[in-house]
Every structure is written in C-alpha cells, then in structure tokens.
Amino acid sequence: ATAAPPDGRGFDVVVQCTALGMHAGDPLPIDPATLAPPTALVEIIAVRQTELMTAAAAKGCTVVGGRPMAELQIDAQLAFIGRPPPLART
C-alpha cells in the first residue's frame, strides 16, 4: 500500500527539501490540498517551477523557489572570496 503524502495544515512554513519535483511527473512530496495561507512554501528545486509551487501559489500561499535561494548563496560565496556578484539576473 502507498502512504498518503504528508499533511501541510497548521504550519507557518513548509520546506520542500527532497529531489521530488526535479522532473515533470514526480509525485508530490506533500498534499497541496492541505496548504492554505498564511502557510509559506519554500522549495529547494532551482531548475524549474514545480507542480507543488504552482499548486501552493494557486491556493494563495507565499512561494519561494529554489532559484532565488541558489542565486543568493552564489552571491554570498563570491563575496566571501572577494569576487563581485554577477552583473545581472534574469
């Protein structure tokens, strides 16, 4: 038997830090029907807008994707070694 995905009710922040979502068709790591404002979803996947991010945004949740998180980490690492950050982000 397959276990139901975790329930997101009652949390201020849900952090999705698995590899699920790297590829279209991956199972969802949490049931998006259980997400609602003011819950915020933080997603570590940086290569694409995941189905979980789309579903959480549609429910009105604040969503922070993996790309901005990765970009800020890169900027901080470059600053640490004395190099300027990239000139522009798209």
Side-chain angles (χ1 to χ4, degrees), residues 31-66:
D31 182 356
T34 65
L35 297 173
T39 299
L41 172 73
V42 178
E43 169 71 83
I44 67 160
I45 303 299
V47 296
R48 62 189 292 274
Q49 172 85 14
T50 68
E51 289 77 5
L52 181 59
M53 291 168 65
T54 300
K59 299 280 289 186
C61 296
T62 298
V63 176
V64 179

Side-chain angles (χ1 to χ4, degrees), residues 7 15 18-19 22 32-33 40-41 49 57-59 64 71 78 87 90:
D7 189 316
V15 179
T18 73
M22 289 285 292
L41 172 73
Q49 172 85 14
K59 299 280 289 186
V64 179
E71 289 173 349
L78 289 170
L87 295 176
T90 58

